[in-house]
Amino acid sequence: MPIFLNTTDTDFEAAFAAFLTTKREDSPDVDAVVADIIADVRARGDAAVIELTAKFDRLELTPQTLAFTPEEIETECAKVSAEDRAALELAAERIRAYHARQMPEDASWQDDTGATLGWRWGPVSAAGLYVPGGLASYPSSVLMNAIPAKVAGVERLAIAVPTPDGICNPLVLLAARIAGVDEIYRIGGAQAIAALAYGTETIAPVDKITGPGNAFVAAAKRRVFGKVGIDMIAGPSEILVIADRNNEPDWIAVDLLSQAEHDESAQSILITDNADFGQAVTAAVEKRLETLERRQIAGKSWRDFGAVIVVQDMAEAVVLSDRIAPEHLELCVADADAMAVQVKHAGAIFIGAWTPEAIGDYVGGPNHVLPTARSARFSSGLSVMDFVKRTTLSKMTPQALAAIGPAAERLAISESLEAHGLSVRARLDRLNET
Amino acid sequence: MPIFLNTTDTDFEAAFAAFLTTKREDSPDVDAVVADIIADVRARGDAAVIELTAKFDRLELTPQTLAFTPEEIETECAKVSAEDRAALELAAERIRAYHARQMPEDASWQDDTGATLGWRWGPVSAAGLYVPGGLASYPSSVLMNAIPAKVAGVERLAIAVPTPDGICNPLVLLAARIAGVDEIYRIGGAQAIAALAYGTETIAPVDKITGPGNAFVAAAKRRVFGKVGIDMIAGPSEILVIADRNNEPDWIAVDLLSQAEHDESAQSILITDNADFGQAVTAAVEKRLETLERRQIAGKSWRDFGAVIVVQDMAEAVVLSDRIAPEHLELCVADADAMAVQVKHAGAIFIGAWTPEAIGDYVGGPNHVLPTARSARFSSGLSVMDFVKRTTLSKMTPQALAAIGPAAERLAISESLEAHGLSVRARLDRLNET
């Protein structure tokens, strides 16, 4: 049974605090193994990647077959139905349109001393996208990772997607082609992350790695962070639905299940101001669970981590939501727009009952790579910003240096950094001479 | 002697590649120690922090003396000279003005299906800034970290600054007060990072941690990444000066030394199209090194990691600069503005001979926390963006859902995520009923 809380319960605060800190994932400590794998790939390059792929994916590769050839990609893409292709293309078009608006602007201005200040944005030169293989091999994730990179202007975009036993998902390859990916490698795990970060004889290193993965991939990303940029360490995901009684319980139930079906450590939470409505949704979830294809996974997630929280009023709902800082927040309330404005911490907000979260997973336009495990408190979903970086610009005139240089010199001296001060003083002295 | 390369040397490419991969820092592997410290602070809170501070900083604290009191801060600030105070205030004002322009804008628009899409930015609620103690305790870094946070709207800003043997730098406390810091703790090392990330009885946890530190601090930041946001793992820093013969060799020499004096693993590089000028700068560096206060440090950095690279023309200089992706890039050339436009990878550019890099360390306005060790390829200096996060917004109408819902349903089915599809289908069915 999911947890059922009411803010009027005397022990609510303790129960909610415990709920917030519930650990939903038993991350195995694979750090030592991953460190060895990375060292091996750095030392032996292709040979290590090929051996590890044989071991973990039961797939024999050569340096020549590490990457899919254009013909192989073509053959796989041809297997996709016209309907699936059209759906992918609609999704790609909408994701591109949304992300195109995210390109940050350069700036340049002159201040009152005559100094010119500003900044300029530019794309990362090469990016690598990790795409999980097997069950969780999602073409939508390829679009969500690759399109922001291409919109940002990334010149070279490589994908690593493991193909255990040689099995690949044609939709993943088609999504990569639609998004404009340049290279696709049939490798996975920590060895793929190491190959992308450090390069091998066959795989050129990239500057930034994004994309979800298992514990090995996450540990590897954490380790190569600094050598390359990474997006985030994704944890199990969650949805929070805030709904009043004027909703169809079954709609809310399937929305909750659409998160629960991802994996057993996913979390689905309903906050409502009506206990009867909460019960009705719970009943609807149970009914749907009878026939759902992934009822094993979704049922376990719902029983273990699901929650229904009854609040006195919707202001209370927003406060609790901010403490949860959900990855996905659905607002099915009378004035959803007004509530959305009040929310401080959420990865993505879906406003109104006609906006099921699944729209955002595929075709809404915003990115579906979002901060999990309460990290919406400090981080954002994937965007064009992840594939650009800023160079700050400063240009002094002699007059500007005369105006602010003495303060710099003074601070340099106070920090015992004499040469810093001298680099300003040498110029100021010249000004005084003339 | 610094390395002296010429792009016309037959072995230039090999020598430059080796130069690029030279390891300048022997990071001790302190990860196991740091893991223990973090676990200890999580388990025992204040008691662990106090014990570790006694051990590492030879300072006996109690829960009551972990933080500076307002009176203590006042007393320390009163020790600062009027001139230093004025310099700090000028710096703060300019940094604030520059960063105020970085606030990103919210967006909202309606697309052709009638869906409303957009995003909203909001500040991180609480941030922690690490400030190294001892020699490298720089008030300028306090301003550079704290002001962007306050400009972003961070409500609670805590500083951790170790005070070994109880010694603190009054300028650090004054900088914190000028920047609007709310809490100052006299703790450091991995224990400070753990306390900020997980909280103790006395120290409330924060959502984001920024600021430089030693190997222990860096390892701790890497470990708490995910629980909180972090800025970057800073490595030894570097300056690249591109200068033609029409420069005063001594100016360039002090600019190079202003980086070299930071620490022995700092790196100063000159690229010039004139070998004689390169020699003249080298001679000027040697001359300055005779009397420089920090000549031990600067001399070692210059001898071990300094470099003079002679190019055929300035186009070559830009290409090499992008491969180095320097933290600081000074352009002392005829048309520095034009060259700045061509540069792809650099943390900060200082345009023209009247803009010594040290101006950017203190009073220019842009941030001096910049990507080191070639990470300007994929990351940016500290900014307001580090203290805000984005929530994406989607609102469908029934018509919008009718237009794009079927594609979402199709993709959900292709990914075997039935409930995702059902959450769309349930609503589409209602539309078809009416």
Side-chain angles (χ1 to χ4, degrees):
Chain A
M1 278 294 293
I3 188 171
F4 220 100
L5 302 177
N6 192 311
T7 55
T8 58
D9 296 344
T10 50
D11 62 346
F12 173 77
E13 182 50 40
F16 184 73
F19 169 75
L20 273 188
T21 54
T22 300
K23 209 168 159 199
R24 287 188 278 137
E25 208 179 30
D26 242 354
S27 301
D29 188 0
V30 298
D31 202 44
V33 178
V34 164
D36 286 347
I37 290 175
I38 293 174
D40 194 19
V41 172
R42 288 183 70 176
R44 296 195 301 128
D46 283 347
V49 172
I50 287 169
E51 263 182 48
L52 291 160
T53 303
K55 179 176 170 188
F56 293 119
D57 295 339
R58 300 159 303 280
L59 180 68
E60 300 292 337
L61 295 177
T62 65
Q64 289 70 41
T65 57
L66 276 174
F68 282 89
T69 64
E71 296 71 31
E72 286 169 336
I73 295 170
E74 185 53 47
T75 304
E76 292 299 324
C77 288
K79 296 177 184 170
V80 177
S81 73
E83 291 79 4
D84 282 348
R85 180 182 298 255
L88 270 182
E89 279 167 355
L90 174 71
E93 188 188 318
R94 293 185 57 88
I95 296 164
R96 200 173 285 123
Y98 183 92
H99 288 77
R101 293 179 181 249
Q102 292 180 326
M103 274 302 283
E105 287 186 14
D106 298 345
S108 178
W109 66 93
Q110 217 171 48
D111 70 15
D112 53 7
T113 69
T116 305
L117 301 172
W119 62 77
R120 192 155 46 75
W121 292 93
V124 165
S125 294
L129 312 180
Y130 190 85
V131 181
L135 254 189
S137 173
Y138 296 140
S140 56
S141 290
V142 175
L143 299 181
M144 293 291 182
N145 278 274
I147 290 174
K150 280 294 174 185
V151 167
V154 172
E155 278 173 38
R156 176 176 160 251
L157 192 53
I159 279 187
V161 55
T163 57
D165 302 304
I167 295 165
C168 76
N169 181 347
L171 279 160
V172 162
L173 297 187
L174 181 59
R177 204 172 63 173
I178 290 172
V181 169
D182 302 289
E183 303 159 16
I184 307 176
Y185 298 99
R186 24 167 84 91
I187 59 176
Q191 59 273 22
I193 301 299
L196 289 172
Y198 289 98
T200 69
E201 302 89 323
T202 305
I203 304 171
V206 301
D207 303 304
K208 175 105 188 187
I209 299 177
T210 69
N214 62 17
F216 290 87
V217 170
K221 281 172 70 179
R222 194 181 283 267
R223 281 209 161 248
V224 301
F225 172 50
K227 164 68 182 164
V228 299
I230 65 172
D231 54 339
M232 59 180 88
I233 307 291
S237 62
E238 63 272 332
I239 190 172
L240 167 59
V241 182
I242 301 180
D244 61 29
R245 65 190 304 167
N246 302 317
N247 278 280
E248 179 62 60
D250 179 63
W251 292 14
I252 306 302
V254 280
D255 294 353
L256 293 169
L257 287 170
S258 75
Q259 192 61 39
E261 74 176 343
H262 268 298
D263 70 86
E264 293 178 355
S265 48
Q267 183 166 57
S268 305
I269 308 166
L270 169 66
I271 298 186
T272 179
D273 57 356
N274 186 290
D276 290 341
F277 179 76
Q279 295 290 3
V281 171
T282 310
V285 167
E286 293 303 333
K287 182 144 193 300
R288 285 286 190 175
L289 273 174
E290 288 169 14
T291 56
L292 197 69
E293 282 166 20
R294 293 167 73 96
R295 57 186 171 274
Q296 290 284 101
I297 293 169
K300 184 155 170 52
S301 158
W302 177 242
R303 285 190 307 275
D304 290 355
F305 303 116
V308 176
I309 303 175
V310 179
V311 290
Q312 294 291 97
D313 55 47
M314 286 304 181
E316 226 175 39
V318 172
V319 171
L320 295 181
S321 174
D322 276 338
R323 289 177 66 186
I324 294 169
E327 180 187 13
H328 307 101
L329 174 61
E330 242 184 66
L331 304 180
C332 301
V333 297
D335 192 349
D337 286 300
M339 185 180 274
V341 171
Q342 289 159 18
V343 172
K344 282 188 190 165
H345 307 302
I349 304 181
F350 303 88
I351 303 170
W354 289 96
T355 316
E357 183 275 326
I359 281 292
D361 284 334
Y362 296 111
V363 296
N367 212 286
H368 79 194
V369 180
L370 292 165
T372 57
R374 306 191 58 222
S375 63
R377 293 174 295 122
F378 56 81
S379 63
S380 310
L382 198 70
S383 78
V384 166
M385 301 299 291
D386 288 284
F387 299 99
V388 295
K389 68 269 184 332
R390 184 196 327 97
T391 298
T392 60
L393 306 168
S394 310
K395 183 183 185 181
M396 297 294 127
T397 59
Q399 292 69 29
L401 193 68
I404 66 174
E409 188 186 17
R410 177 124 212 137
L411 290 171
I413 292 167
S414 82
E415 293 186 353
S416 301
L417 294 172
E418 187 194 14
H420 283 65
L422 290 173
S423 73
V424 176
R425 173 52 48 196
R427 286 150 168 111
L428 292 180
D429 283 347
R430 174 71 52 87
L431 282 180
N432 293 336
E433 283 166 24
T434 55
Chain B
M1 281 292 295
I3 188 171
F4 219 100
L5 302 176
N6 191 312
T7 55
T8 57
D9 297 344
T10 49
D11 62 345
F12 173 78
E13 182 51 39
F16 185 73
F19 169 76
L20 274 188
T21 54
T22 300
K23 209 169 161 198
R24 288 187 280 135
E25 208 180 29
D26 241 355
S27 301
D29 188 1
V30 298
D31 202 44
V33 178
V34 164
D36 287 347
I37 290 175
I38 294 174
D40 194 19
V41 172
R42 290 184 69 176
R44 298 194 299 130
D46 284 345
V49 172
I50 287 169
E51 264 182 48
L52 291 160
T53 303
K55 179 175 169 188
F56 293 119
D57 296 339
R58 300 160 303 281
L59 181 67
E60 299 294 336
L61 295 175
T62 66
Q64 288 71 41
T65 58
L66 275 174
F68 282 88
T69 64
E71 295 72 29
E72 286 168 335
I73 295 170
E74 185 55 45
T75 304
E76 291 299 323
C77 288
K79 297 177 184 169
V80 178
S81 72
E83 292 78 5
D84 282 348
R85 181 183 298 256
L88 271 181
E89 279 168 355
L90 174 72
E93 188 188 315
R94 292 185 57 89
I95 296 164
R96 199 174 285 122
Y98 182 92
H99 289 77
R101 293 179 181 250
Q102 291 180 327
M103 275 301 285
E105 286 185 13
D106 298 345
S108 178
W109 65 93
Q110 216 172 50
D111 71 15
D112 54 6
T113 69
T116 305
L117 301 173
W119 62 78
R120 191 155 47 76
W121 292 93
V124 165
S125 293
L129 311 181
Y130 189 85
V131 180
L135 254 188
S137 172
Y138 296 141
S140 57
S141 290
V142 174
L143 299 181
M144 293 292 182
N145 278 273
I147 291 174
K150 279 295 173 182
V151 168
V154 171
E155 277 174 38
R156 177 179 159 250
L157 191 54
I159 278 187
V161 55
T163 58
D165 301 306
I167 294 165
C168 77
N169 182 347
L171 279 160
V172 162
L173 297 187
L174 180 59
R177 204 173 63 174
I178 290 173
V181 169
D182 302 290
E183 302 160 16
I184 308 176
Y185 298 99
R186 22 167 86 89
I187 59 175
Q191 59 274 21
I193 302 298
L196 289 171
Y198 289 97
T200 69
E201 302 90 323
T202 305
I203 303 171
V206 302
D207 303 305
K208 174 105 187 187
I209 298 176
T210 69
N214 62 18
F216 290 86
V217 170
K221 281 171 70 179
R222 195 182 283 268
R223 281 210 163 249
V224 301
F225 173 50
K227 165 66 183 166
V228 299
I230 64 171
D231 54 340
M232 59 180 89
I233 307 291
S237 62
E238 64 272 331
I239 190 173
L240 168 58
V241 181
I242 301 180
D244 59 29
R245 64 189 307 169
N246 301 317
N247 279 277
E248 178 61 59
D250 179 62
W251 292 14
I252 306 303
V254 280
D255 294 354
L256 293 170
L257 287 170
S258 75
Q259 193 62 38
E261 74 176 344
H262 268 297
D263 71 85
E264 292 177 355
S265 48
Q267 182 164 58
S268 305
I269 308 167
L270 168 66
I271 298 185
T272 179
D273 56 357
N274 184 290
D276 291 341
F277 179 76
Q279 294 291 2
V281 170
T282 310
V285 167
E286 292 304 331
K287 184 145 190 301
R288 285 284 190 178
L289 274 174
E290 288 169 15
T291 56
L292 198 68
E293 282 166 21
R294 294 167 72 98
R295 57 185 171 273
Q296 290 284 98
I297 293 168
K300 186 157 168 51
S301 158
W302 177 243
R303 284 190 308 274
D304 291 355
F305 303 117
V308 176
I309 303 175
V310 179
V311 291
Q312 293 292 96
D313 55 45
M314 287 303 182
E316 227 175 39
V318 172
V319 172
L320 295 181
S321 173
D322 276 340
R323 289 177 66 187
I324 294 168
E327 181 188 13
H328 306 101
L329 175 61
E330 245 185 62
L331 304 180
C332 301
V333 298
D335 193 350
D337 286 299
M339 186 181 272
V341 172
Q342 289 159 17
V343 171
K344 283 187 188 166
H345 307 303
I349 304 181
F350 302 89
I351 303 171
W354 289 97
T355 318
E357 184 274 327
I359 281 292
D361 284 334
Y362 297 111
V363 296
N367 212 288
H368 80 194
V369 180
L370 293 165
T372 58
R374 305 190 60 220
S375 63
R377 293 174 294 123
F378 56 80
S379 64
S380 310
L382 198 71
S383 78
V384 166
M385 302 299 292
D386 289 283
F387 299 98
V388 296
K389 67 271 184 329
R390 183 195 329 96
T391 298
T392 60
L393 306 168
S394 309
K395 183 182 185 180
M396 297 293 128
T397 60
Q399 293 70 27
L401 193 69
I404 65 174
E409 186 185 19
R410 177 122 212 139
L411 290 171
I413 292 166
S414 81
E415 293 185 353
S416 301
L417 293 173
E418 186 193 15
H420 283 65
L422 289 173
S423 72
V424 175
R425 174 51 48 197
R427 287 151 168 107
L428 292 179
D429 283 347
R430 174 71 52 88
L431 282 180
N432 294 337
E433 282 166 23
T434 54

